[in-house]
Amino acid sequence: MVPVSDDRIVPVTMPKWGLSMQLGKITAWVVGEGDDVKAGDDLADIETEKISGTLEAADGGTVRRIVARVGEDVPVSGTIALLAPADVTDADLDAAVQEARAVIDAGVPDDAAGGPDLQTADVGGRRISFAGAGEDGDVVLLVHGYGGDRNSWLFLQEPLAARYRVYALDLPGHGASAKDVGEGTLDVLAGAVTGVLDALGAERAHLVGHSLGGAAVLAAAARDPGRIASLTLIAPAGFGAEINVGYLRGFADAQSRRELKPVVTQLFADESLVTRQLVDDLLAYKRLDGVDEALHALLGVLLDGDSQGVNSAALLAAAGGAGAGGTGAGDTGAGGAGPGGAVPVTVVWGRDDRIIPAAQAEAVTGADHRLIDDAGHMPHMEHPAQVQAAIEQNIARAT
Amino acid sequence: MTDTVERKALTKEHLLGVYRVMRTIREFEERVHAEFATGDIPGFVHLYAGEEASAVGVCSNLDERDTIASTHRGHGHCIAKGVDTGEMMAEIYGRRTGSCHGKGGSMHIADLSKGMLGANGIVGGGPPLICGTALAAKIKGTGGVSVAFFGDGASNQGTTLESMNLASVWNLPAIFVAENNGYAESTASTWSVSSDNIADRAAGFGMPGVIVDGFDFFAVHEAASEAIARARGGGGPTLLEMKFTRYFGHFEGDQQTYRAGEVEHARAELDCLKRFAARVTETGELAQADLDAVDAEIAVLIEGDVAAAKAAPLPTEADLLTDVYVRY
Amino acid sequence: MARNITYREAIHEALAQEMERDETVIVMGEDNAGGAGAPGDDDAWGGVLGVTKGLYHKFPGRVLDTPISESAFIGAAIGAATAGMRPVAELMFVDFMGVCFDQIYNQAAKFRYMFGGKAVTPVVIRTMYGAGLRAAAQHSQSLYPLFTHIPGLKVVTPATPYDAKGLLIAAIRDNDPVMFFEHKALYDISGPVPEESYALPFGEASVVREGSDVTIVTLGRMVHTSLEAAGQLAAAGVECEVVDLRTTSPLDEDTVLESVEGTGRLVVVDEAHPRCSIATDISALVARKAFGSLRAPIEMVNAPHTPVPFSSALEDMYIPDAQRIANAAKTVTGWSR
């Protein structure tokens, strides 16, 4: 970030999406100079080596200068635009633009680190991979869903790392972890979660789980409730019977881009997020030896016939989650530790979820409910700022 | 020539068995010759009659671990390695019930389940292949040996010479059987083969070379037995040269104007079946009645094969595009 | 977990991982270990360009040096494949096919059909091709069209380290004979490759760059040259879609046709000579099946109808370059009736 002469000038910077991201490219500006924006408004479409996304405004204000041109590479945290009130002088703005341009033009230094090293833990003979960011604060562990990996948190992990030590793991059968999942039971997945906490030496941690990862963190919490500081469940599996069986089987069975793309589009409210690169990356993962077996083994646990095969409500009760203190379904948003030291729970769901219906959020009794508009099954990718806020508020309730 | 072969005792069953196979080949080939003349059999057909002792003398030493590769004149090798004559006949007639479902024909009859790696339309096509099957047997430690049958024509092909070198270099359990029937198509081997004998070339590849009377089953059996035992024991390859003649032309329809009387002489004086019969009846190991019974049995068998082949369905349009790949 | 390794290392890793996984996988070829029978090291070379170096000691008895007898050892690989092995034979330069072609196209390619579906021949023949090393007329040809013509063979032409590893693993696991073409100028390029084993399906082209104005269909080394041209063209406002065929047999017709349906313009870039080449094959495909989408005549960029010359001055003119590709793209975008 470039220091500016006038603290009323607020820089908009290139975000870091994924721990290894060094450069981003603006493919389109949604706003222009002179536009007023408020927090959460779309500012620009940005493309990295791995993903395309839309940058949302963190602050409100007037866009006074666009610094980065469409199509040019900008180092992470480089200033791409300036917000400032009308009375900031052009001279001050131009000076700030000049400094920002110098950063962009310098590019990424040759010796720049490509993100934190991937760490591994041996959990019951399985190699479990995880990567972390952040130096201080509580440990937050992010657990992805079926067919995903730690990179699905790419819009969240770095921002959360400003306050916490944030780790994302690859579940067995996924990412860089061992592909063998055995029977694919929640026990195996929960073992990976606690195994990583052990490797980190974390006595207590905040767990964030998405979809199948939601059930996995609940299973881990049920094993050792005292270790869990808070639980944030994003579209978690196991709180109802209904699930999009066509999606799950389609994902497991797809052999080609043609088969996979229409399946993956069901994940998002905004289907344009499903780029060729995203589909190619998923295919490359699916083609690794052992992944096909892993996905089908997990499918056998996720599904019981055409219904969900996982009971997360029971796990939540065992974990002493928000609803377990007997406060009931009406206790939403109660905040803080409940009776008996219940763990604060927040459930986040995209209203347009086509994989697991958002209505199942109701079954997460005692939790704080956050339903997100214009989001499908991947709200942490479609509206990361809102999911980040939900996580941070849930963590705050625990402390 | 190995005129005086010290015979190992072969049981009566064994003797009857090898006679049955030689007679089957003869009957099969004589019948194909006759049927070809009627115009019912399509394509190119090369007959093995006269050379039976070679295929049977060698293959009677082989078992299911072993593989052979054959030539365009391959019917005898197929039968000697156990390929079903009914399926062979149907194949020669281009029928769907044939060994290759009518897609191979006389020159490409194969049955890998029997260790028969195919008749081969390319002169010298087989020797490299059996280096591979021999290598597989050696790596897997099965004790299997592989045999390449090839003619005097193929003895001049680079593939054959390269393969003999490779088999020696890799010390493979491989046997090279040169069936020198005197002619590559219409060209005499006395002209086309630069050495006095094909077997002489073995020395150049560091392996034993043995000249065998190809009309004498017992001579072939003995020489092959020794070579095969050596190969199985890790002693490497051997080149056997069978000297004999074929009774028919290069292909059916060949007027054989390049030949002069040797077929009549061979049929009368050297024929492998006659010599075999004379010997086993002389020693009393088999009675003429035993042999006659086999002859009658085989005549019925081949008659049935021809009738079945003629009655069998032709392949259909659906068969045209199948089995190009395992998966494409 | 992916990391950057070279095309050479990717091929080596595919061989090593498959040999580890399946003991029927064996490797053979001239100098594949190197030094056989010589007084010095017995893993001296690892093939002329070092691709197989190190396998000899890791897999005793399964890396075989051969005499310079392509007919015999290519045929032996094919024979071993019919007998339960999965041999990977190295035909050092594809130019040497002339001394062993019979075993490939008359034997391996035809067994299954000719024997009525009763043969399985899972052999891989790795071979080096392509111009650019001043290796002259008998060590530089791009002969994949000849093999593509033959039913029963599969033909693979990886352009990147990722594709090289995944396609070679697929080739080894495949039950049909596969010709695996390695461009000699690509061995030192690097790219991300997962450490894990993975097989990429044959007959699936890769869209390596998306664009709306012109489709460039290409393969092998020419993928990189085409991408270079596409970069230049983008600066001039022409957006190219670059399709890497990856395998020429089987051929992914759908991806080619879909791309041309989107752009309406086709340039085919192929290092082979122009007659009866992949370029003519793709041109015919598009002319037959996407004629209605074409907004301009198809352009082909090939090497000329000459042997590969030796002199660098000549060879540099011989190999299709980005400028020729860009010119062809400009021709199709600028075309009007």
Side-chain angles (χ1 to χ4, degrees):
Chain A
M1 207 178 290
V2 181
V4 287
S5 53
D6 185 329
D7 62 9
R8 291 175 302 159
I9 300 178
V10 179
V12 177
T13 59
M14 176 61 69
K16 186 171 170 73
W17 288 340
L19 300 183
S20 65
M21 175 175 165
Q22 296 187 350
L23 286 174
K25 182 183 293 183
I26 292 161
T27 53
W29 277 104
V30 179
V31 295
E33 291 183 0
D35 289 354
D36 289 325
V37 298
K38 60 183 188 302
D41 283 358
D42 290 348
L43 295 179
D45 293 334
I46 292 176
E47 181 182 278
T48 75
E49 278 185 338
K50 294 207 177 290
I51 194 140
S52 302
T54 302
L55 177 66
E56 298 172 357
D59 309 281
T62 302
V63 179
R64 293 288 304 277
R65 290 287 187 278
I66 299 286
V67 178
R69 291 181 288 266
V70 168
E72 76 178 335
D73 288 325
V74 179
V76 164
S77 83
T79 298
I80 57 174
L82 299 171
L83 306 183
D87 57 347
V88 173
T89 65
D90 283 346
D92 283 350
L93 283 167
D94 290 343
V97 167
Q98 204 172 357
E99 289 178 69
R101 284 297 327 166
V103 171
I104 293 173
D105 294 340
V108 176
D110 288 342
D111 57 354
D117 287 342
L118 195 62
Q119 295 171 260
T120 58
D122 185 302
V123 182
R126 286 192 185 86
R127 186 191 70 248
I128 301 300
S129 298
F130 58 99
E135 314 203 329
D136 301 310
D138 291 358
V139 169
V140 179
L141 183 58
L142 309 173
V143 182
H144 63 81
Y146 181 70
D149 65 22
R150 65 185 186 284
N151 291 317
S152 60
W153 305 106
L154 82 177
F155 297 124
L156 276 183
Q157 191 170 4
E158 193 73 19
L160 283 171
R163 292 194 194 171
Y164 314 105
R165 291 161 59 206
V166 189
Y167 294 87
L169 60 71
D170 289 330
L171 286 170
H174 295 78
S177 290
K179 299 304 178 290
D180 159 53
V181 298
E183 302 283 307
T185 58
L186 284 185
D187 241 19
V188 170
L189 304 185
V193 172
T194 49
V196 169
L197 294 181
D198 292 345
L200 291 168
E203 287 176 15
R204 268 171 80 77
H206 303 275
L207 301 184
V208 180
H210 169 238
S211 195
L212 173 63
V217 299
L218 282 168
R223 281 179 168 190
D224 191 357
R227 199 168 184 179
I228 308 307
S230 75
L231 285 167
T232 306
L233 307 174
I234 304 170
F239 286 99
E242 190 182 341
I243 192 163
N244 184 339
V245 175
Y247 166 80
L248 287 173
R249 297 203 177 116
F251 184 87
D253 293 342
Q255 298 290 325
S256 66
R257 194 188 321 114
R258 269 183 202 83
E259 291 169 7
L260 187 57
K261 185 169 179 181
V263 173
V264 174
T265 52
Q266 298 178 59
L267 285 171
F268 298 91
D270 176 4
E271 295 187 355
S272 71
L273 292 173
V274 181
T275 60
R276 179 176 289 276
Q277 186 66 49
L278 179 76
V279 177
D280 284 351
D281 286 351
L282 281 170
L283 259 189
Y285 154 69
K286 277 173 59 64
R287 285 171 173 167
L288 297 174
D289 278 7
V291 168
D292 191 60
E293 292 82 349
L295 289 176
H296 281 94
L298 291 167
L299 200 57
V301 171
L302 264 170
L303 291 181
D304 178 5
D306 285 350
S307 300
Q308 294 204 51
V310 173
N311 184 352
S312 291
L315 293 169
L316 179 60
T327 48
D331 192 29
T332 57
V343 174
V345 179
T346 291
V347 60
V348 180
W349 226 299
R351 284 192 194 278
D352 303 328
D353 194 324
R354 285 182 277 167
I355 309 303
I356 307 177
Q360 290 181 18
E362 294 302 322
V364 191
T365 52
D368 189 3
H369 291 183
R370 301 293 184 93
L371 290 176
I372 298 182
D373 291 332
D374 302 320
H377 192 59
M378 308 293 285
H380 49 308
M381 295 185 81
E382 293 195 88
H383 294 290
Q386 294 180 50
V387 176
Q388 181 188 340
I391 293 169
E392 290 183 339
Q393 285 162 24
N394 195 43
I395 290 173
R397 291 200 293 155
T399 48
Chain B
M1 298 258 179
T2 47
D3 284 325
T4 52
V5 173
E6 192 186 326
R7 285 174 48 194
K8 281 182 186 161
L10 293 172
T11 64
K12 183 178 175 181
E13 288 70 30
H14 196 163
L15 289 170
L16 213 50
V18 297
Y19 180 77
R20 179 179 285 108
V21 179
M22 287 201 293
R23 174 57 68 192
T24 303
I25 298 170
R26 178 65 55 86
E27 186 73 20
F28 191 95
E29 297 295 63
E30 297 277 10
R31 188 62 187 266
V32 170
H33 176 74
E35 294 295 336
F36 190 89
T38 70
D40 282 353
I41 294 177
F44 303 154
V45 176
H46 312 81
L47 299 179
Y48 193 70
E51 306 186 24
E52 292 86 348
S54 172
V56 182
V58 173
C59 292
S60 57
N61 286 288
L62 302 180
D63 59 36
E64 69 283 351
R65 297 170 294 173
D66 305 322
T67 302
I68 67 167
S70 173
T71 72
H72 55 286
R73 198 174 304 289
H75 303 169
H77 306 127
C78 292
I79 294 169
K81 197 66 172 71
V83 181
D84 181 80
T85 54
E87 291 183 7
M88 288 176 60
M89 193 65 82
E91 187 62 33
I92 290 166
Y93 273 87
R95 304 294 163 154
R96 195 167 197 283
T97 53
S99 316
C100 310
H101 306 318
K103 288 174 165 177
S106 165
M107 268 191 290
H108 305 301
I109 297 173
D111 189 342
L112 277 77
S113 70
K114 300 264 172 33
M116 168 57 200
L117 190 44
N120 205 309
I122 303 301
V123 171
L129 300 172
I130 66 98
C131 286
T133 55
L135 176 67
K138 183 177 176 177
I139 289 176
K140 292 179 180 173
T142 65
V145 302
S146 296
V147 180
F149 292 97
F150 59 96
D152 44 288
S155 78
N156 298 324
Q157 279 281 33
T159 48
T160 307
L161 304 170
E162 283 189 29
S163 298
M164 287 196 279
N165 183 64
L166 184 66
S168 254
V169 168
W170 279 352
N171 193 38
L172 296 176
I175 312 294
F176 297 89
V177 179
E179 296 185 321
N180 184 353
N181 63 24
Y183 297 92
E185 303 195 340
S186 71
T187 302
S189 60
T190 50
W191 180 84
S192 67
V193 177
S194 57
S195 52
D196 291 342
N197 302 290
I198 295 170
D200 297 348
R201 292 178 170 171
F205 300 112
M207 68 176 80
V210 183
I211 297 168
V212 186
D213 177 356
F215 287 116
D216 181 352
F217 165 81
F218 296 103
V220 176
H221 183 270
E222 184 69 20
S225 166
E226 188 182 322
I228 289 166
R230 181 164 52 242
R232 287 202 205 283
T238 300
L239 170 60
L240 305 175
E241 179 182 1
M242 307 296 160
K243 290 199 189 262
F244 47 20
T245 195
R246 54 170 149 83
Y247 288 175
F248 296 114
H250 166 63
F251 51 81
E252 285 310 277
D254 177 6
Q255 296 304 307
Q256 303 190 72
T257 52
Y258 49 87
R259 299 229 266 193
E262 70 254 33
V263 173
E264 292 71 19
H265 171 71
R267 277 193 184 263
E269 306 295 334
L270 304 173
D271 183 74
C272 59
L273 284 158
K274 286 183 182 165
R275 280 172 70 178
F276 182 92
R279 193 144 171 181
V280 294
T281 51
E282 210 170 276
T283 59
E285 289 166 285
L286 293 175
Q288 187 59 46
D290 296 332
L291 303 177
D292 292 346
V294 169
D295 292 355
E297 174 200 326
I298 299 306
V300 170
L301 172 75
I302 302 300
E303 180 63 37
D305 290 343
V306 171
K310 285 180 171 176
L314 291 165
T316 65
E317 192 176 347
D319 298 315
L320 176 65
L321 301 181
T322 58
D323 288 329
V324 180
Y325 297 90
V326 177
R327 188 159 172 270
Y328 194 57
Chain C
M1 180 69 184
R3 72 284 188 238
N4 282 336
I5 60 174
T6 64
Y7 189 82
R8 174 191 286 103
E9 289 164 339
I11 293 166
H12 176 96
E13 189 166 280
L15 289 170
Q17 289 181 353
E18 286 304 283
M19 292 180 85
E20 186 71 45
R21 185 187 66 83
D22 180 352
E23 63 177 16
T24 68
V25 178
I26 57 174
V27 164
M28 64 174 74
E30 290 147 12
D31 313 296
N32 265 7
D41 294 342
D42 53 8
D43 185 23
W45 277 19
V48 280
L49 290 182
V51 174
T52 49
K53 185 154 180 69
L55 296 177
Y56 179 78
H57 288 295
K58 205 167 168 191
F59 303 102
R62 291 166 61 196
V63 178
L64 288 88
D65 277 340
T66 69
I68 298 183
S69 297
E70 285 84 0
S71 276
F73 82 77
I74 294 291
I78 292 162
T82 68
M85 308 301 286
R86 290 188 178 275
V88 182
E90 181 180 302
L91 176 60
M92 191 186 295
F93 293 90
V94 72
D95 313 68
F96 303 167
M97 63 165 261
V99 293
C100 61
F101 198 33
D102 179 71
Q103 290 292 325
I104 299 170
Y105 91 106
N106 265 331
Q107 311 294 340
K110 296 186 169 53
F111 282 166
R112 187 164 184 80
Y113 192 81
M114 197 162 70
F115 299 161
K118 292 178 180 172
V120 177
T121 313
V123 67
V124 180
I125 299 174
R126 292 180 42 239
T127 191
M128 208 190 320
Y129 78 104
L133 263 64
R134 319 305 186 208
Q138 295 174 344
H139 291 74
S140 301
Q141 298 170 81
S142 295
L143 297 176
Y144 42 77
L146 293 177
F147 295 87
T148 306
H149 186 69
I150 311 292
L153 296 179
K154 293 175 179 173
V155 182
V156 182
T157 57
T160 66
Y162 176 80
D163 287 353
K165 178 173 172 181
L167 290 170
L168 182 52
I169 287 173
I172 292 169
R173 297 178 186 178
D174 199 282
N175 283 327
D176 292 307
V178 179
M179 294 297 303
F180 191 85
F181 279 81
E182 301 167 12
H183 198 293
K184 58 177 78 68
L186 294 180
Y187 282 118
D188 290 322
I189 66 161
S190 289
V193 177
E195 289 168 13
E196 299 98 322
S197 292
Y198 57 95
L200 297 178
F202 294 166
E204 183 185 285
S206 167
V207 177
V208 292
R209 181 185 176 114
E210 293 185 286
S212 54
D213 298 328
V214 183
T215 295
I216 300 177
V217 174
T218 185
L219 72 166
R221 184 194 185 187
M222 288 295 116
V223 171
H224 304 279
T225 316
S226 297
L227 285 172
E228 187 189 337
Q232 294 173 10
L233 288 159
V238 177
E239 290 298 334
C240 295
E241 182 143 299
V242 181
V243 177
D244 173 3
L245 293 173
R246 298 205 285 200
T247 64
T248 63
S249 179
L251 178 70
D252 182 355
E253 296 190 357
D254 290 347
T255 297
V256 171
L257 295 171
E258 276 167 20
S259 180
V260 173
E261 280 157 12
T263 62
R265 300 180 184 89
L266 174 64
V267 175
V268 196
V269 183
D270 177 6
E271 193 181 322
H273 310 297
R275 300 291 315 283
C276 299
S277 62
I278 301 304
T280 56
D281 194 48
I282 296 297
S283 299
L285 169 74
V286 170
R288 284 193 302 125
K289 296 191 179 174
F291 185 76
S293 302
L294 285 173
R295 290 192 269 169
I298 296 163
E299 281 288 314
M300 301 194 331
V301 180
N302 284 86
H305 191 65
T306 69
V308 184
F310 166 66
S311 166
S312 55
L314 293 173
E315 194 185 32
D316 290 345
M317 286 186 266
Y318 171 93
I319 303 168
D321 62 14
Q323 192 56 53
R324 284 180 56 199
I325 298 167
N327 289 345
K330 285 175 188 161
T331 301
V332 297
T333 50
W335 191 84
S336 62
R337 209 173 275 281

